[in-house]
Amino acid sequence: MFCSHCGQPAANRFCAHCGQPLDNGGGLAIAVVDEPWEEEFRYEALIRAPQVRDAISRHASFARKGMPGEQFLKICDKLMPIGVPMESLAAVIQPLYAALGIQTGKQRLVQIQASIGRVMQRTLCSLARRGQSLRDVQQAADGCVLTAELPSDLFALAGDIMVTLRRRDASTEVNAATKIGGQWFDWGKSNRALDQLFTDLQLDPG
């Protein structure tokens, strides 16, 4: 399946490259912007604005891929063989621990002095720049919830980052939370992810 907006390979409900929603045939869902995009709280309408699409595509091109946790475990296998590959062991243990309720994560609530459309654009650009692929969008009457992948790295395996945006007069309430299943500690990964997100939310994307 390919995104009919940017032409990149796409799956699930949203294109990981440009953020556009996909219909069952791989095309774009139709949404119409009937008010200035800066005031728009509907994801499917906001993402149709050329300024928003261009900004997301530009920031996605800046994304850097670090060393995933799984790759680090492969290196460990070569240095410290223990019979069972650590990568395979982690793939079994992490879901098991997650099913037992073992998880880590952080949550942060901040009021941003900007319209919800601008804050949503900043959020999408931040996710794209950090390589945090959008997984799901839930629409509400006064905002939306964006869920993206928190990629694995040297400190923790993959998890989720969920950003809830709500319109509050001239400002926007942002409640962001991370969740990494199957681990007790993430060695500061969640706090760093939230620090980066809220730093990005202070200014419009350049």
Side-chain angles (χ1 to χ4, degrees):
M1 181 185 297
F2 294 88
C3 174
S4 59
H5 173 68
C6 67
Q8 297 292 325
N12 301 321
R13 294 179 58 191
F14 302 92
C15 175
H17 298 276
C18 67
Q20 289 277 20
L22 304 169
D23 63 24
N24 290 334
L28 295 179
I30 300 300
V32 178
V33 178
D34 54 11
E35 64 176 319
W37 70 265
E38 294 91 342
E39 303 297 332
E40 185 59 71
F41 66 90
R42 296 170 301 166
Y43 174 85
E44 291 192 4
L46 180 79
I47 204 68
R48 300 284 291 177
Q51 301 95 320
V52 176
R53 296 201 303 267
D54 291 346
I56 293 173
S57 295
R58 186 169 64 253
H59 280 261
S61 69
F62 298 145
R64 296 181 178 178
K65 289 189 176 181
M67 180 183 294
E70 292 86 352
Q71 184 178 344
F72 178 72
L73 292 176
K74 285 183 179 179
I75 295 175
C76 290
D77 289 341
K78 295 178 180 178
L79 297 176
M80 302 176 297
I82 59 173
V84 178
M86 292 176 67
E87 180 191 14
S88 302
L89 195 60
V92 173
I93 291 178
Q94 187 188 22
L96 177 61
Y97 281 1
L100 294 175
I102 297 174
Q103 65 181 40
T104 186
K106 298 292 181 182
Q107 185 173 3
R108 200 173 299 177
L109 179 66
V110 175
Q111 201 87 0
I112 304 295
Q113 297 302 313
S115 63
I116 189 167
R118 287 190 176 278
V119 177
M120 197 181 304
Q121 182 202 42
R122 296 173 188 179
T123 302
L124 292 168
C125 287
S126 178
L127 296 176
R129 189 181 187 96
R130 309 295 176 184
Q132 298 164 350
S133 300
L134 195 62
R135 283 181 170 173
D136 187 50
V137 176
Q138 297 294 325
Q139 191 64 57
D142 59 349
C144 68
V145 181
L146 307 175
T147 302
E149 179 188 19
L150 193 60
S152 62
D153 56 23
L154 297 177
F155 301 96
L157 297 175
D160 290 323
I161 180 167
M162 184 169 64
V163 186
T164 303
L165 303 103
R166 291 184 175 178
R167 182 165 54 184
R168 294 287 187 261
D169 297 326
S171 65
T172 303
E173 180 184 281
V174 181
N175 190 345
T178 63
K179 178 183 177 182
I180 302 173
Q183 293 188 215
W184 285 117
F185 306 102
D186 65 6
W187 310 106
K189 175 176 180 173
S190 291
N191 278 326
R192 285 190 294 274
L194 295 178
D195 286 344
Q196 290 173 341
L197 172 65
F198 283 106
T199 295
D200 292 343
L201 295 188
Q202 298 305 315
L203 296 172
D204 287 331

